[in-house]
Amino acid sequence: MLALLVSVSASAHLQAQWSEVDGLITHSQEVVDILDEGYRRIAGAGALVGTNIVGDDMLTGTFQYSNFGVIDYRQTLMDQNTLVLYNSAMNSVAGASYSMSVQEYLNGQYTKTGEEFDAAIDSYVAAASVFAKAVMVNNLASAASASENIQDARALQDYITDNSLSLSTNMQTAYNNSIGDVEDAVQLYSAVAILKDDTSSVASIQSDADAASRDYIYANDAIYDSQAKTLQVGFTGPSGQTQYDMTRSVDMSAYVTTNLNTIRNAGTSDDFYQDGPTQNTCFFATSDQQSDPSDACYTGSP
């Protein structure tokens, strides 16, 4: 029940604290629209100098027009009601109390660490691209050996000649480092993903934060300590508020796997592996193959 109440409270809190911002968006847009219309009409009047003379009230008047069947108005003069609503909306935002619950913090960290994981994967794929060509070399060499056909041997030779296939120590370093970066990124991403969905732990952390008047709006990015197997959250709070002079650690050891088979088996059917150069027979397909309906690698591409 506590976990449910925390979840409902977090959702209601999030909606409430953003309502003031939504109001400011609406009423600031009204000011922007008037300003935009003023600039546009003045620009038009200036552009017509020497050919047309704008009539009375053409720059200052309010005009009605149909916006996809809906009657709307265009004005260039700032009216009192617009100013009152704009100022009121600004004051509401300025006076609002913005805070962040543990659940909101973890949801944000989940998005951020997911993006960092994707970026690490992209870096790995880029670093792996030079090594992926070894798959094609292996395929062509195997075909030539099996057939003992001089044309297959020439195809292998042409591929080697036409492509930069030599592997350097710089490529080795980039590739090896990229795997390490993926490991770091996925550890943090998974730890955050697990904790954010653990309603019992989130409720406990929130209770601790409430008791200490600790707002997670001041929490730093989460860090995963692979040695201690903990997810750690430090704080940078307002000066003099000692409740932020701490680091919240959550034990994640129950979720850590050191079973290689578990990891390899999970990867076997995953798209990243199946679509990669070692498993996807069409990974190196040419544009001609992809556009040929009779080819096994046909994708429908023109």
Side-chain angles (χ1 to χ4, degrees):
M1 177 61 73
L2 175 59
L4 176 61
L5 289 175
V6 168
S7 177
V8 172
S9 175
S11 177
H13 167 71
L14 183 62
Q15 294 174 1
Q17 73 173 357
W18 286 109
S19 62
E20 295 90 352
V21 175
D22 291 338
L24 183 55
I25 290 173
T26 297
H27 298 302
S28 63
Q29 186 62 54
E30 292 168 354
V31 174
V32 170
D33 288 344
I34 295 173
L35 183 66
D36 179 75
E37 187 69 14
Y39 265 84
R40 187 168 184 175
R41 290 195 207 174
I42 290 173
L48 292 173
V49 168
T51 59
N52 294 93
I53 301 172
V54 298
D56 287 345
D57 297 328
M58 293 307 296
L59 296 189
T60 58
T62 298
F63 293 91
Q64 176 180 301
Y65 75 105
S66 177
N67 183 15
F68 297 102
V70 178
I71 301 302
D72 204 347
Y73 296 87
R74 288 292 187 186
Q75 66 188 74
T76 60
L77 301 183
M78 295 290 175
D79 61 275
Q80 188 62 28
N81 186 57
T82 298
L83 268 60
V84 168
L85 292 174
Y86 175 70
N87 289 337
S88 176
M90 278 204 306
N91 290 334
S92 293
V93 170
S97 176
Y98 292 99
S99 61
M100 181 179 291
S101 69
V102 174
Q103 188 66 66
E104 291 166 353
Y105 167 76
L106 289 173
N107 290 345
Q109 287 293 291
Y110 175 72
T111 299
K112 184 176 186 295
T113 56
E115 292 171 348
E116 291 171 349
F117 174 59
D118 288 342
I121 289 292
D122 289 342
S123 295
Y124 169 77
V125 170
S129 62
V130 292
F131 295 92
K133 294 177 182 178
V135 176
M136 180 61 79
V137 170
N138 182 266
N139 290 342
L140 293 173
S142 297
S145 176
S147 68
E148 295 185 351
N149 187 313
I150 193 65
Q151 290 181 323
D152 289 338
R154 283 298 301 272
L156 171 61
Q157 189 178 53
D158 289 344
Y159 185 76
I160 293 174
T161 303
D162 295 342
N163 293 275
S164 299
L165 300 178
S166 296
L167 301 176
S168 68
T169 54
N170 287 339
M171 294 173 182
Q172 173 194 19
T173 299
Y175 177 80
N176 292 344
N177 287 344
S178 71
I179 295 183
D181 291 342
V182 170
E183 183 173 86
D184 292 340
V186 76
Q187 286 177 334
L188 176 58
Y189 183 33
S190 187
V192 171
I194 291 169
L195 183 58
K196 86 174 183 65
D197 290 336
D198 184 346
T199 54
S200 178
S201 294
V202 170
S204 176
I205 298 170
Q206 185 64 63
S207 179
D208 176 66
D210 292 342
S213 298
R214 190 178 301 117
D215 193 330
Y216 270 70
I217 199 170
Y218 297 113
N220 301 325
D221 286 337
I223 297 172
Y224 179 73
D225 186 331
S226 61
Q227 296 300 311
K229 299 179 178 62
T230 58
L231 186 66
Q232 300 180 353
V233 179
F235 297 84
T236 304
S239 178
Q241 296 193 23
T242 58
Q243 70 268 36
Y244 294 107
D245 297 338
M246 56 89 71
T247 297
R248 187 68 159 86
S249 294
V250 181
D251 181 14
M252 305 300 294
S253 60
Y255 300 98
V256 176
T257 180
T258 56
N259 188 322
L260 182 59
N261 285 334
T262 298
I263 299 171
R264 296 183 80 248
N265 290 340
T268 298
S269 59
D270 189 83
D271 287 346
F272 180 72
Y273 178 61
Q274 290 296 324
D275 294 339
T278 65
Q279 295 300 305
N280 182 4
T281 56
C282 294
F283 187 87
F284 296 98
T286 64
S287 57
D288 288 341
Q289 289 177 289
Q290 293 174 339
S291 60
D292 182 358
S294 65
D295 195 280
C297 297
Y298 175 66
T299 62
S301 301

